[in-house]
Amino acid sequence: MFGIELTPEHPVDEVVDLGVRAEAEGYDTVFVSSHYNNRDPFAVLARLASETETVRLGPGVVNPYERHPVTLASQTATVADQSGGRAVFGIGPGDPSTLTNLGLEDERGLRSVLEAFKVAQRLWDGERVSHDGTFTCEDAGLNFDVPGDVPVYVGGEGPHMCRMAGKHADGLLFNGSHPDDLAWARDQVEQGVADRPDERGDFDLAAYASVSVAEEREAAREAARPPVAFITAGAAPPVLERHGIDAERASDIGAKISAGEFSAAFELVTSAMVDAFCMAGTVEEVGERMARVEEHADSLVVGSPLGPDLEAAITLAAAAHDR
């Protein structure tokens, strides 16, 4: 997979145009990110389903707390229906900074993610499902057939989530842009893959990488500040330690994001954070980092911010990957 994440902080028409451009540039999968404070990802996916021809389409990633998992299954099935079987399902424990705004930060966990996509798979297979666990449903079912297979990608970074994905899902969207992080992720998922039933097929470890690429190096690195702030705020202590990043400063960034003080949060981002959590620079620099990451990952998804000029960045990131 060579995919791209689009963030609907921009008007829907603009995001759809970017998705169409990505297909033309050779990306094979388009994920649309899901945060309550941005536009709805499924509104964008519905448009992309009718305006693209070959790319797989899905949320990247939804969580099972803001919306009922059965509803998520139905929404993703609708994308499959509209696109002729091109849906992919990205699901994870959610972004802690934004879930704090909804009082849901304590709901995050592995079991809820696993139960949500297992129920979704049964619904897509045409079953009627009753479930009593981290959520409940009673004799739930879809009133339409779901075309094609819907691959499930777990979005996660912790060791248990990585191992669970290796055993139960089709792939892992690992939020990482540094080869050291992907090497660590490979070790974790292999432990899960060791217990993976043969009938589940091959497993895809995808680097869900923050990328900022531009003709000018400093412009690319400056554009990386906002997503790096979010990544740093959500990074686990061992990840921060791996890259020598001050945990207290990371906590301060998270607090400012939760308070809506975004500019202040972005100003706290250091050069070391950009190096750790983003592929930022020229086409040559980003291409070299992609190659190092793909020594450990099977696939690559190019994520926010893409670059200071979104349209140009889609083309430049594809060129970096071609290198």
Side-chain angles (χ1 to χ4, degrees), residues 27 40 70 73-74 127 179 184 196 203 215 218 227 229 244 289 316:
Y27 297 83
D40 186 87
V70 170
S74 177
E127 295 184 36
W184 178 88
R196 183 182 183 84
F203 181 79
E215 299 287 353
E218 290 309 313
R289 176 67 77 87
L316 293 173

Side-chain angles (χ1 to χ4, degrees), residues 4 14 52 66 83 90 97 104 126 132 161 194 200 210 224 230 272:
I4 189 169
E14 292 181 18
T52 58
E66 294 176 76
S83 66
S97 298
L104 295 171
D132 184 11
M161 197 71 74
R200 292 207 176 112
S210 175
F230 278 89

Side-chain angles (χ1 to χ4, degrees), residues 13 31 80 87 92 131 141 175 189 191-192 198 275 299 321:
D13 286 350
F31 290 99
H131 180 79
N175 193 345
V189 298
Q191 295 179 49
D198 291 340
D275 290 339
S299 296
H321 189 257

Side-chain angles (χ1 to χ4, degrees), residues 124-156:
W124 298 332
D125 286 340
E127 295 184 36
R128 300 201 69 85
V129 181
S130 296
H131 180 79
D132 184 11
T134 57
F135 65 92
T136 59
C137 62
E138 185 67 32
D139 197 32
L142 302 178
N143 294 331
F144 60 97
D145 294 330
V146 182
D149 294 324
V150 182
V152 172
Y153 279 79
V154 170

Side-chain angles (χ1 to χ4, degrees), residues 97-174:
S97 298
T98 50
L99 287 179
T100 296
N101 298 140
L102 307 180
L104 295 171
E105 67 273 20
D106 293 333
E107 302 297 318
R108 300 174 77 247
L110 181 152
R111 184 182 169 199
S112 52
V113 174
L114 176 62
E115 291 182 7
F117 75 73
K118 288 291 188 182
V119 166
Q121 289 171 324
R122 294 175 62 191
L123 292 167
W124 298 332
D125 286 340
E127 295 184 36
R128 300 201 69 85
V129 181
S130 296
H131 180 79
D132 184 11
T134 57
F135 65 92
T136 59
C137 62
E138 185 67 32
D139 197 32
L142 302 178
N143 294 331
F144 60 97
D145 294 330
V146 182
D149 294 324
V150 182
V152 172
Y153 279 79
V154 170
E157 300 172 28
H160 299 298
M161 197 71 74
C162 292
R163 295 167 197 162
M164 180 272 282
K167 181 177 180 180
H168 293 284
D170 296 294
L172 173 70
L173 298 175
F174 182 83

